């Protein structure tokens, strides 16, 4: 019976997609979003009716509907918490809103309801999108695999049924079904989803392969070495889920503040109402004073003191190509004091390009002729290196001649007949073999020189004689070096590089951008360990990456930023911010903008505290008229709101960019 490796499959397996299929929860699929949207729409209809003097029967029922649609969920959650003998701010705000309505301040209460309902909907959406991304990652691993029996028979089985020791057949264009080791065959495997390497890696007998990576043009027999639940891709899912669950380190602090504030407000309001009654005050006067206290002491000004600067900074960053996913993220960006950068697709563009064209002396070829021959031979191939060679020829405007008798050998290269000559293009070590002629020796020297410089060397032969060598490398982003310098000054420490690429290429590129701490050849869990090491030392780490292999580190870091154009779905969903236009230089500007927002938050909190404490003291120590209390409360809200909106202007981004440039 023919070998399974040499037997031609009945049909060509289509190449699997290289990206994770996108699964996105629709906004209105969430109940929280539907209720919040209904409350907002009703509020926006009622408000102009009230302000234009329309009869109360036209806008009153609309406000009542706002209370119901936006308030029933937090009220129910608050009552459930109350049954557990805890108080939360949600319930307190519902009580404050009802209290405001009871003394005629219906619009104030409705506004509180809308703010809290919208906040809850945004939190639910963020949680759902993260879960979507984690589930989508599982689509990288195929659901079935071809298992070979001891007699060589083939059977299609679910990958979950594969056991350690099984042998599977991976045909060209298929995704590998399990972590294991190659027993037979040779091919190039695109494992960027796991290691971040920009180019496919040649795999032969004895080499390790990972589930979910994409096989190239050869066939492989792979011996399974890990159960599906223990594969690298499964561990990535587990790490992202674990890190996402512990993402907010301030959560416990918020819960403590919420409890103390809730209890304090309830006690204070009851005291303001009951104590005067005990001294013979009128019931109406005591109730009015208590409701006034509840209004002026409500946290609206504090909430607006915090959110407008952060939301304005988010909007400004969005106009300049950076998506920041929440106000918490914008605040945390200003706290980072250490940075870890991925290499491929982050510091580099993630696309291989021809960097060197070296015709050999005595070949009679110039650079353009050598490139034309290589491009013609590579033209029928779909290998990333082949595309880089063809793109280089087209960029120079060169005419690529037609070819005949094209063949491709995985792990070695391609051959074709061009203008009567046999042209071979491929790996120098494989094409040269044991050749000891002068041309081969010169080619080996040039190839070694290019590889020492961190490039991938590609040999070109004409009629079995070496005529030149091409150097191919991933190109450094133009703004990489200046960005690294700015980040070093802003954080007080030079960024480190975390990459799955080979150490030689990583060190060479790190030297170009000014990074001294290089950690190369890392798998996803090793990147996480490097981040956690910094976190345990008390650092707040910012991780910048683009691939699935970066997602666990993005989730584990204090803050994660993903490159948007080439970034995987999981990286984009796991990261706290996304650089949509892949402009790395926006990162220092974003940090400066975050720090400006944090300064405005402090200013606004001081303003809000002065107003609230002043009005509360006035109400308790004297007699604060309700209209004046409402005016003071709303006035402080407007002041802090307008102060926070200063960051909406383009001048705020320009100032942040200038501060980042001055930090270099």
């Amino acid at each position: 019976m023919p070998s399974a490796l040499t037997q031609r499959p009945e049909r060509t397996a289509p190449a699997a997609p290289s990206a994770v299929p996108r699964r996105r929860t629709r906004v209105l699929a969430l109940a929280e979003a539907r209720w919040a949207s209904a409350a907002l729409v009703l509020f926006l209809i009622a408000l102009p009716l009230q302000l234009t003097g329309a009869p109360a029967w036209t806008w009153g029922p609309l406000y009542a509907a706002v209370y119901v649609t936006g308030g029933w969920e937090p009220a129910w959650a608050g009552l459930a918490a109350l049954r557990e003998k805890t108080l939360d701010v949600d319930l307190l705000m519902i009580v404050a809103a009802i209290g405001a309505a009871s003394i005629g301040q219906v619009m104030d209460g409705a506004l509180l309801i809308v703010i809290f309902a919208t906040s809850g909907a945004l939190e639910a959406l963020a949680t759902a999108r993260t879960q979507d991304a984690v589930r989508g990652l599982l689509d990288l691993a195929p659901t079935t695999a071809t298992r070979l029996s001891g007699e060589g028979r083939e059977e299609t089985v679910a990958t979950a049924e594969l056991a350690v020791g099984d042998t599977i057949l991976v045909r060209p264009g298929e995704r590998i079904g399990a972590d294991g080791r190659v027993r037979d065959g040779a091919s190039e495997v695109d494992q960027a989803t796991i290691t971040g390497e920009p180019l496919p890696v040649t795999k032969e007998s004895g080499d390790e392969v990972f589930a979910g990576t994409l096989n190239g043009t050869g066939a492989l027999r792979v011996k399974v070495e890990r159960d599906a639940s223990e594969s690298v891709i499964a561990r990535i899912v587990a790490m992202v889920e674990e890190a996402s669950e512990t993402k907010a380190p301030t959560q416990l602090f918020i819960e403590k503040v919420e409890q103390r504030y809730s209890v304090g407000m309830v006690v204070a309001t009851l005291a303001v109402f009951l104590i005067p009654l005990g001294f013979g005050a009128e019931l109406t006067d005591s109730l009015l004073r208590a409701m006034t206290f509840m209004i002026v002491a409500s946290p609206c000004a504090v909430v607006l003191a915090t959110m407008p600067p952060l939301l304005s900074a988010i909007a400004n960053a969005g106009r300049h190509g950076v998506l920041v996913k929440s106000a918490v993220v914008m605040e945390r960006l200003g706290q980072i004091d250490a940075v870890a950068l991925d290499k491929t697709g982050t510091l580099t563009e993630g696309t291989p390009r021809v960097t060197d064209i070296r015709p050999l002396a005595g070949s009679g070829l110039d650079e353009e002729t050598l490139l034309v021959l290589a491009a013609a031979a590579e033209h029928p191939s779909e290998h990333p290196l082949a595309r880089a060679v063809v793109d280089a020829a087209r960029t120079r405007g060169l005419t690529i001649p037609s070819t005949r008798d094209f063949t491709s050998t995985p792990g070695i290269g391609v051959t074709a007949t061009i203008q009567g000559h046999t042209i071979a293009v491929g790996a120098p070590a494989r094409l040269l073999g044991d050749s000891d002629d002068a041309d081969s020796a010169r080619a080996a020297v040039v190839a070694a020189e290019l590889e020492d410089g961190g490039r991938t060397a590609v040999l070109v032969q004409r009629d079995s004689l070496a005529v030149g060598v091409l150097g191919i490398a991933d190109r450094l982003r133009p703004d990489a070096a200046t960005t690294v310098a700015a980040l070093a000054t802003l954080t007080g420490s030079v960024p480190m590089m975390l990459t799955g690429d080979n150490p030689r290429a990583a060190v060479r590129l790190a030297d170009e951008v000014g990074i001294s701490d290089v950690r190369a050849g890392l798998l996803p869990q090793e990147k996480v360990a490097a981040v956690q090491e910094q976190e345990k030392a008390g650092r707040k780490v910012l991780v910048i990456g683009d691939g699935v292999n970066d997602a666990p580190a993005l989730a584990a870091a204090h803050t994660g930023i993903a490159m948007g154009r080439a970034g995987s779905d999981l990286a984009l969903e796991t990261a706290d911010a996304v650089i949509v236009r892949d402009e790395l230089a926006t990162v220092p500007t974003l940090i400066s903008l975050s720090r400006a927002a944090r300064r405005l938050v402090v200013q606004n909190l001081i303003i809000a505290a002065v107003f609230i404490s002043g009005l509360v003291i006035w109400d308790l120590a004297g007699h604060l008229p309700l209209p004046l209390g409402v005016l003071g409360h709303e006035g402080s809200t407007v002041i802090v709101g307008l102060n926070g909106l200063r960051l909406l202007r383009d001048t705020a981004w320009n100032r942040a960019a200038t501060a980042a440039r001055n930090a270099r």
Side-chain angles (χ1 to χ4, degrees), residues 12-18 172-175 214-215 382:
T12 303
S18 58
E174 293 182 343
R175 286 196 180 272
L214 183 63
N215 187 26
E382 294 192 5

Side-chain angles (χ1 to χ4, degrees), residues 610-632:
V610 168
F611 269 87
I612 291 175
S613 59
L615 293 172
V616 166
I617 292 172
W618 189 348
D619 185 53
L620 295 178
H623 177 70
L624 175 63
L626 178 61
L628 190 57
V630 172
L631 180 62

Side-chain angles (χ1 to χ4, degrees), residues 310-646:
L310 300 174
L311 295 179
S312 298
I314 290 173
N316 202 336
R319 291 202 307 269
H320 292 87
V322 183
L323 171 62
V324 179
K325 294 185 178 180
S326 72
V328 173
V329 173
M330 178 56 74
E331 184 178 12
R332 294 173 77 158
L333 279 165
Q335 300 171 345
I336 63 106
D337 55 13
V339 179
L341 297 117
D342 176 45
K343 172 183 169 289
T344 304
T346 302
L347 287 170
T348 68
E349 295 178 348
T351 304
R353 299 175 186 273
V354 175
T355 58
D356 299 85
I357 305 173
R358 302 281 190 88
L360 298 180
S363 66
L365 303 179
D366 57 16
E367 289 188 2
E368 290 191 349
T369 306
L370 176 63
L371 183 58
V372 165
L373 291 177
E378 295 276 27
H379 189 265
S381 174
E382 294 192 5
H383 192 284
L385 293 182
R387 291 196 294 270
V389 173
V390 174
D391 288 344
R394 286 174 174 165
T395 300
R396 294 188 175 208
L398 303 178
T399 301
I400 301 175
S402 59
T403 63
R404 294 185 296 108
D405 305 324
F406 172 83
T407 60
S408 174
T409 305
I412 298 179
V414 302
T415 60
T417 301
I418 302 167
Q419 297 174 344
H421 296 280
T422 299
I423 305 299
V425 183
R430 303 306 177 92
L431 292 181
L432 291 176
D434 298 327
S435 301
D436 56 0
D437 58 277
D439 289 335
S440 297
R442 284 195 292 269
V445 170
V446 174
E449 178 185 334
L450 292 174
E451 289 174 350
D452 287 340
R455 299 165 180 81
T456 298
V458 176
L459 178 68
V460 182
Q461 288 181 329
R462 181 175 60 184
D463 298 329
S464 300
L465 296 177
V467 293
V469 183
L470 304 180
I472 300 179
D474 196 4
R475 191 164 65 182
L476 184 69
R477 291 187 187 274
D479 52 1
T482 54
T483 299
V484 168
L487 290 172
T489 304
L490 285 170
T491 63
S493 62
V494 177
M496 62 179 175
M497 180 190 293
L498 305 178
T499 178
D501 210 348
N502 71 81
R504 187 166 54 184
V507 170
R508 178 190 61 83
L509 187 136
D511 288 340
E512 291 185 40
V513 299
I515 294 178
S516 55
D517 187 356
V518 180
R519 308 185 189 190
L522 302 181
L523 288 174
Q525 59 266 33
E526 293 169 328
K527 290 188 176 185
V528 171
V531 172
Q532 291 175 339
E533 175 188 330
Q534 294 290 314
E535 297 274 356
K536 289 178 181 177
R539 311 300 295 274
K540 292 181 171 60
V541 182
L542 168 66
V543 171
I544 309 173
D546 71 309
V548 169
N549 59 307
D550 298 317
L554 290 169
H558 181 74
T559 311
I561 297 179
M563 306 299 287
R565 286 183 178 171
S568 70
D569 279 0
L570 185 66
L572 298 180
E573 296 292 356
T574 304
D576 301 303
V578 177
I579 305 174
V580 179
R581 302 171 189 165
D582 274 12
E583 296 172 348
L584 193 60
T586 57
V587 176
T589 303
L590 184 63
I591 293 172
S592 295
L593 185 67
S594 172
R595 292 179 178 179
R598 285 166 56 84
R599 289 192 295 270
L600 278 188
V601 167
V602 172
Q603 291 177 16
N604 284 349
L605 287 174
I606 293 173
I607 294 171
V610 168
F611 269 87
I612 291 175
S613 59
L615 293 172
V616 166
I617 292 172
W618 189 348
D619 185 53
L620 295 178
H623 177 70
L624 175 63
L626 178 61
L628 190 57
V630 172
L631 180 62
H633 176 263
E634 298 299 332
S636 66
T637 302
V638 170
I639 290 173
V640 298
L642 291 177
N643 191 41
L645 293 178
R646 288 163 48 197

Side-chain angles (χ1 to χ4, degrees), residues 4-69:
L5 289 176
T6 58
Q7 184 179 2
R8 189 175 184 85
E10 294 180 3
R11 60 183 179 84
T12 303
S18 58
V20 185
R22 197 169 187 82
R23 299 181 180 183
R24 293 179 67 87
T25 299
R26 294 181 179 275
V27 174
L28 293 181
L30 299 171
E32 295 91 342
R34 293 195 297 271
W35 289 116
S37 299
L40 178 61
V41 169
L42 291 168
F43 181 81
L44 293 177
I45 295 173
L47 181 61
L49 290 175
Q50 181 188 17
L51 296 179
T52 54
W57 62 265
T58 61
W59 48 264
L62 293 174
Y63 278 137
V66 170
Y67 281 72
V68 173
T69 56

Side-chain angles (χ1 to χ4, degrees), residues 9-380:
E10 294 180 3
R11 60 183 179 84
T12 303
S18 58
V20 185
R22 197 169 187 82
R23 299 181 180 183
R24 293 179 67 87
T25 299
R26 294 181 179 275
V27 174
L28 293 181
L30 299 171
E32 295 91 342
R34 293 195 297 271
W35 289 116
S37 299
L40 178 61
V41 169
L42 291 168
F43 181 81
L44 293 177
I45 295 173
L47 181 61
L49 290 175
Q50 181 188 17
L51 296 179
T52 54
W57 62 265
T58 61
W59 48 264
L62 293 174
Y63 278 137
V66 170
Y67 281 72
V68 173
T69 56
W72 79 267
E73 279 194 322
W76 185 262
L79 291 173
L82 195 60
R83 285 196 294 269
E84 300 296 327
K85 299 181 180 180
T86 60
L87 278 174
D88 60 21
V89 171
D90 285 352
L91 182 60
L92 183 62
M93 286 302 95
I94 297 300
V95 172
I98 295 174
S102 70
I103 57 173
Q105 305 300 322
V106 180
M107 187 271 287
D108 285 351
L111 180 59
L112 278 177
I113 294 291
V114 170
I115 290 174
F116 269 75
T118 303
S119 175
L122 291 175
E123 182 178 354
L125 179 61
T127 301
R129 288 287 169 83
T130 300
Q131 293 172 345
D132 291 343
V134 174
R135 288 194 300 268
L137 175 59
L138 295 174
D139 290 336
L140 277 175
T143 57
T144 62
T146 302
R147 183 167 61 188
L148 299 176
S149 67
E151 297 79 21
R153 290 195 306 271
E154 300 178 12
E155 59 175 335
T156 301
V157 298
T159 52
E161 297 178 8
L162 293 174
V164 175
D166 285 347
T167 298
I168 60 174
L169 172 64
V170 186
R171 290 193 171 94
E174 293 182 343
R175 286 196 180 272
I176 296 172
D179 284 8
R181 200 166 297 276
V182 178
R183 293 184 58 182
D184 195 8
S187 184
E188 305 93 2
V189 176
D190 180 356
Q191 53 187 35
T193 54
I194 301 297
T195 67
E197 292 171 283
L199 304 175
V201 178
T202 300
K203 297 293 184 179
E204 297 175 327
S205 179
D207 290 335
E208 186 178 21
V209 292
F210 305 105
T213 55
L214 183 63
N215 187 26
T217 56
L220 299 173
R221 273 199 184 108
V222 176
K223 181 179 179 181
V224 178
E225 293 188 340
R226 295 190 188 97
D227 290 331
S229 61
E230 296 297 323
S231 68
V232 171
I233 205 76
R235 291 204 301 271
I236 292 177
V237 173
M239 283 187 290
V240 171
E241 289 178 333
E242 180 181 353
S244 296
E245 289 173 0
T246 58
K247 187 64 180 175
T250 59
Q251 188 62 39
L252 291 177
F253 172 76
I254 292 173
E255 290 177 359
K256 290 179 182 178
V257 171
E258 179 179 335
Q259 279 297 299
R260 293 170 182 173
Y261 182 82
S262 300
V263 173
M265 279 288 294
V266 170
V267 171
T269 302
L270 289 175
V272 171
F273 175 60
L274 295 175
I275 291 176
L277 283 179
F279 287 92
E282 293 289 335
L283 176 64
T284 302
D285 291 341
S286 296
L287 180 61
L288 183 61
R289 183 186 293 269
M291 288 299 98
T292 302
F293 173 83
M294 180 171 287
I295 290 174
V296 299
S298 73
C300 288
V302 175
V303 170
L304 287 178
T306 304
M307 296 304 290
L310 300 174
L311 295 179
S312 298
I314 290 173
N316 202 336
R319 291 202 307 269
H320 292 87
V322 183
L323 171 62
V324 179
K325 294 185 178 180
S326 72
V328 173
V329 173
M330 178 56 74
E331 184 178 12
R332 294 173 77 158
L333 279 165
Q335 300 171 345
I336 63 106
D337 55 13
V339 179
L341 297 117
D342 176 45
K343 172 183 169 289
T344 304
T346 302
L347 287 170
T348 68
E349 295 178 348
T351 304
R353 299 175 186 273
V354 175
T355 58
D356 299 85
I357 305 173
R358 302 281 190 88
L360 298 180
S363 66
L365 303 179
D366 57 16
E367 289 188 2
E368 290 191 349
T369 306
L370 176 63
L371 183 58
V372 165
L373 291 177
E378 295 276 27
H379 189 265

